[in-house]
Amino acid sequence: MIIIPRKDELPEIESALEEYVKLKKTIQNSQDWLKEIEPKAINEALTILETGNSLNNKGKMVYRGNGLKLVLGARKKYPTDKDDPELERLSQQIQLSELAEIRKNSSQLNQITEKIEELRSQISELEQQQEELKQTPYIISLKSKYNERRDKGMYQEPYLIVYQS
């Protein structure tokens, strides 16, 4: 079991960097341990729910203690084409059928693509006109002053990057 000490329980360490690195390592070890024990905890939670011993009316809370509550959730997972040969076969059929339709309707598809590009160009021109109508020399001057002021106040905030060796 990995125990993460509270801030007031930390021993005196000569270097704040050393303390930082030790805590980072403890956090990483805890995350690794969580990944390892999670399947067992999920199985235990499933057993609690199967036996009808949940801790709330909705039937999903499986643990309460140490100021924490654990609720068992579920997310949908789907098989991939690699996992299911039938899905892979259907996926290939879809691709082949789509390619056949693209070939069959290529002239119409090209016309549609050209129309889309033409409309995109028109939209771009309209957006530019819209922006021009929103601007005045005064607003442009204010934006310039804003950016200059912001740039003058720029500073760099240091942070630590931890690499595991």
Side-chain angles (χ1 to χ4, degrees):
M1 175 187 255
I2 298 172
I3 299 174
I4 300 175
R6 292 190 332 249
K7 185 178 176 184
D8 60 342
E9 296 176 339
L10 292 173
E12 283 296 318
I13 297 178
E14 295 175 19
S15 164
L17 288 175
E18 184 179 326
E19 182 177 347
Y20 183 85
V21 169
K22 284 184 179 180
L23 285 173
K24 275 293 208 181
K25 185 65 177 170
T26 301
I27 290 169
Q28 182 61 49
N29 288 340
S30 296
Q31 289 172 335
D32 293 345
W33 187 46
L34 270 173
K35 286 179 187 174
E36 184 179 319
I37 199 168
E38 186 178 32
K40 295 175 190 170
I42 289 172
N43 284 336
E44 186 176 333
L46 286 169
T47 301
I48 290 170
L49 292 181
E50 286 171 0
T51 59
N53 293 327
S54 68
L55 302 176
N56 65 351
N57 294 337
K58 295 179 183 176
K60 298 288 185 178
M61 188 185 309
V62 293
Y63 176 85
R64 183 183 357 215
N66 296 327
L68 299 173
K69 296 176 185 175
L70 290 181
V71 175
L72 183 64
R75 56 182 157 260
K76 293 180 181 179
K77 299 281 269 186
Y78 296 98
T80 65
D81 293 356
K82 293 177 185 175
D83 300 332
D84 185 335
E86 180 65 12
L87 282 177
E88 184 176 17
R89 187 187 64 74
L90 289 169
S91 177
Q92 289 172 353
Q93 279 184 316
I94 291 168
Q95 289 174 0
L96 290 173
S97 296
E98 285 178 343
L99 281 173
E101 289 302 310
I102 289 171
R103 286 188 197 111
K104 182 173 124 184
N105 300 312
S106 65
S107 64
Q108 289 174 301
L109 288 169
N110 286 336
Q111 289 174 355
I112 291 171
T113 301
E114 288 172 9
K115 184 68 174 175
I116 289 171
E117 290 304 316
E118 181 183 318
L119 292 173
R120 282 188 180 143
S121 175
Q122 290 176 3
I123 289 170
S124 178
E125 289 173 15
L126 290 171
E127 286 174 341
Q128 186 175 354
Q129 290 174 14
Q130 185 181 41
E131 284 303 310
E132 289 172 2
L133 290 172
K134 292 179 185 177
Q135 301 299 315
T136 66
Y138 177 68
I139 294 172
I140 292 169
S141 170
L142 286 175
K143 286 182 178 182
S144 175
K145 288 177 183 176
Y146 175 89
N147 288 332
E148 285 176 24
R149 175 71 180 179
R150 195 187 79 205
D151 289 347
K152 283 181 183 175
M154 190 274 299
Y155 63 95
Q156 293 189 1
E157 183 177 18
Y159 61 93
L160 296 171
I161 301 170
V162 179
Y163 297 99
Q164 192 168 359
S165 54

